[in-house]
Each structure stands twice: as structure tokens, then as C-alpha cells.
Amino acid sequence: MDVSPTLWALTILGLCALIAVDFFIGGRKPHEVSLQEAGIWTGVWMGLAALFGLGLLVFGGGAPAGEFFAGFITEKSLSVDNLFVFVLIMGKFAVPAVYQQRVLMVGVLIALVLRAGFIGAGAAIIANFSWVFYLFGAFLIWTAWKLIQEARSGHEDEEFEENRFLKAVERRFPSTDRYHGTRLFVVENGRRLMTPMLIVMLAIGTTDVLFALDSIPAIFGLTQDPYIVFTANAFALMGLRQLYFLIGGLLKKLVHLSYGLSVILGFIGVKLVLHALHESGVAVPEISIPVSLGVIGAVLVITTVTSLRASRRQAAEESVEAAEEAEVATRG
């Protein structure tokens, strides 16, 4: 898809305008986010993504639109995995509920800027070294296997550990031990100090970079168009804040999510390897975007259904066990 500098500029300005509207309407005043508010804003961002995809369909054709929807769904599903870590970060830094919305908004903006750099670097590498698809494909297949291993071992329940960047910031700049509203810096006894608000924002933004290590290669496996890669990431990330509040209580019920994501990453990894072989002149079939959309959608539906069934079954078993223990205690 041929994208002019003007269209790039208009797209970035449009995204900035949407983010500003989101902030001034829903995020300017710190408050606890209700399920209703989170649901409305989640619907708004999903609707905006759908409208953007339809715009690509009208002005760019079916191929760019299909690539966008496949990329958006993939990034959205992978971003749900981020929410587990966001919950751990909020707990570790004891972020008051009233400030969590502001933390997520700024953290996600930091993540989007960092991802833009990743996308630019990835596009440049792909344009000059086609063999990188072999590396991307192998990396995604390895990541898929690692996800399965972590899910089976219960690794996802570990506590959040600060990355090197956060540790370096905390060593270099003194900070307070309590929150001061939404302020990022305060002056105490003549010293300028960071507040935990700034540290947790940096934690959200920089931790997302680790997730980008697999999500960016994954979307490049669906499309090599930097414009589509960027916009799919932008729409997926910008609705993440509302999704955090909407499904925060359901995260523990998505017990099979890691398995579903591993299947998606493994599938895209195979797609990348086949594409690399095709580019090298090997006569192998390539996986089309409609097939990719179908597989990704089916995996997400199956994963959600089986997760909810498993959660209900586990809850029922725990309820029976609790009733039996209560009965034994009563008899005793």
C-alpha cells in the first residue's frame, strides 16, 4: 500500500486528536472507572478500529483491510496477556484505584512511542534483509513453545520484577515513598523527588517493550506494510486501558489464554517460515490473509469458551469442597 507522507501525518494527527478526546472526556479527572464507563470506551475504540479498517477497504482495497483486521485482532489478543502483568505492577506499587486510569493512559502512550521505534527498525530490516523472516519465524515458534511451558508450570503467577531500566532510574533519581495525587515530581526539603506515580508509569511503558518482542514480529508475519503495522498496534494499545478495567476481574478465568496465544504465535511463525522459503524460490504454499483471520479468530473463540467452562467447573468443585468441609466442621 502506497502511503504518502501527508497521509502518515494526518493519521498521526488523527490518533493524537482521539487520544486527547479520550483524555479530556474520560481521563482528565482522576476517578475509579466503572464497568459501564470501561464498556462504553472499549466499544468506542473497537468501533474506531472497525471504521478505520472499512476506510482501508474503500480506499485501499480488500488486501490492506484484511491485513489490518488480522493484525489488529492479533495485537489485541496478545495485548490481553499484558493485562496480567499490569495487574501485578499495580499491586506491587500499590497504586490507588483512583489513579490507575491515569497511570495506564500515560504508560500506554510510552509503550506506543517505543513500539513505533520497533516498527520502524523492523520495517528497515525487512526491506534490506529478506532472510530475517527465517529468524522472525523461528523466534515466534520458540516463543509459542515457551508460552506453553510457562502455562503448564504456572510461571504466569510469579511476581513482577523491575527491569534494569527501572532499577537504574530509581538508583539515579531519588523518589518519595508515597503518592502526591497525579504529580510526577515534588520538592521536599529543597530536593526535587520523583513520586511513585512516575515510576509506575515507566514500569507500564517499558514492560510493554518485552511484549513487543513477539507481537511486532507476529504482525510483520501478517503484513509487511509499516503503515498497517503501526495503525493496528495503535488501535490495539489505545483501547487497552479501558479493557483493563472491563475484564480485570475475568483475567483469572481465562485459564487457557496462554495456550491460545501460543497457537497463534506458532501459526504465524510457520507462516513466516513458509513466506521466507517462497521468497528464496522454494515451491511451498503460502498462507493467505483470509485463512490467517479464520485461524486466529477460531483459536480465540475456542480458547475463551474452554477457559470459561474450565473456570466454572473449578468454581463448582471448590464450592462442593467448601460445603463438605463446612459439613464436617459442623458434625465435629
Side-chain angles (χ1 to χ4, degrees):
M1 182 176 173
D2 187 20
V3 180
S4 66
T6 301
L7 181 56
W8 267 106
L10 290 175
T11 300
I12 294 173
L13 288 174
L15 286 171
C16 290
L18 291 174
I19 293 169
V21 170
D22 187 357
F23 173 76
F24 283 106
I25 293 179
R28 186 177 184 180
K29 184 178 179 180
H31 64 283
E32 293 188 37
V33 178
S34 65
L35 285 177
Q36 180 181 10
E37 179 184 346
I40 291 173
W41 277 104
T42 297
V44 167
W45 280 106
M46 294 291 284
L48 290 172
L51 287 174
F52 183 83
L54 292 175
L56 286 178
L57 177 64
V58 172
F59 297 103
E67 291 175 355
F68 171 79
F69 283 118
F72 172 74
I73 293 172
T74 299
E75 291 297 320
K76 198 70 174 178
S77 60
L78 290 173
S79 68
V80 171
D81 207 29
N82 297 23
L83 299 182
F84 287 98
V85 180
F86 289 175
V87 170
L88 295 178
I89 292 175
M90 294 293 189
K92 179 178 177 63
F93 291 97
V95 182
V98 70
Y99 300 136
Q100 289 184 6
Q101 182 179 230
R102 179 66 60 84
V103 167
L104 287 170
M105 172 172 281
V106 177
V108 167
L109 286 175
I110 293 172
L112 182 57
V113 172
L114 294 176
R115 284 201 181 202
F118 268 69
I119 292 168
I125 292 172
I126 288 172
N128 292 281
F129 307 102
S130 60
W131 50 263
V132 77
F133 285 114
Y134 288 111
L135 297 180
F136 280 1
F139 176 73
L140 290 181
I141 294 172
W142 175 79
T143 302
W145 173 249
K146 185 180 177 183
L147 267 179
I148 293 177
Q149 296 297 100
E150 290 177 353
R152 295 178 64 183
S153 65
H155 180 74
E156 64 270 21
D157 293 331
E158 290 186 359
E159 295 183 357
F160 170 74
E161 295 184 4
E162 297 182 13
N163 54 49
R164 293 182 179 179
F165 173 75
L166 275 180
K167 291 178 179 178
V169 169
E170 290 176 327
R171 285 196 304 267
R172 177 66 179 81
F173 302 99
S175 62
T176 65
D177 57 358
R178 63 185 181 89
Y179 289 87
H180 294 262
T182 58
R183 297 173 65 183
L184 305 182
F185 294 93
V186 294
V187 177
E188 293 183 355
N189 300 322
R191 300 176 65 200
R192 185 177 178 82
L193 305 175
M194 289 191 307
T195 69
M197 179 68 71
L198 177 58
I199 297 173
V200 72
M201 286 177 177
L202 292 175
I204 294 287
T206 56
T207 300
D208 180 80
V209 173
L210 300 178
F211 291 96
L213 293 177
D214 54 41
S215 67
I216 298 301
I219 194 171
F220 271 117
L222 299 169
T223 176
Q224 285 80 61
D225 191 325
Y227 182 76
I228 295 176
V229 173
F230 172 74
T231 51
N233 267 273
F235 280 106
L237 280 178
M238 291 318 303
L240 191 59
R241 174 170 59 93
Q242 291 82 4
L243 198 61
Y244 171 88
F245 296 104
L246 182 64
I247 70 171
L250 297 176
L251 286 176
K252 292 184 178 180
K253 295 183 179 181
L254 299 177
V255 293
H256 297 160
L257 178 63
S258 292
Y259 294 103
L261 295 181
S262 67
V263 171
I264 291 173
L265 290 177
F267 169 77
I268 298 176
V270 171
K271 183 180 185 297
L272 274 170
V273 172
L274 291 176
H275 177 73
L277 290 171
H278 181 79
E279 290 292 310
S280 301
V282 181
V284 295
E286 286 204 85
I287 301 174
S288 66
I289 289 297
V291 171
S292 299
L293 266 172
V295 171
I296 294 168
V299 169
L300 291 176
V301 170
I302 293 172
T303 299
T304 302
V305 171
T306 59
S307 292
L308 294 179
R309 284 182 177 177
S311 296
R312 283 198 297 267
R313 184 166 58 249
Q314 182 180 356
E317 292 174 354
E318 291 176 352
S319 178
V320 171
E321 290 177 359
E324 291 176 349
E325 291 177 358
E327 183 177 353
V328 171
T330 302
R331 291 178 179 176

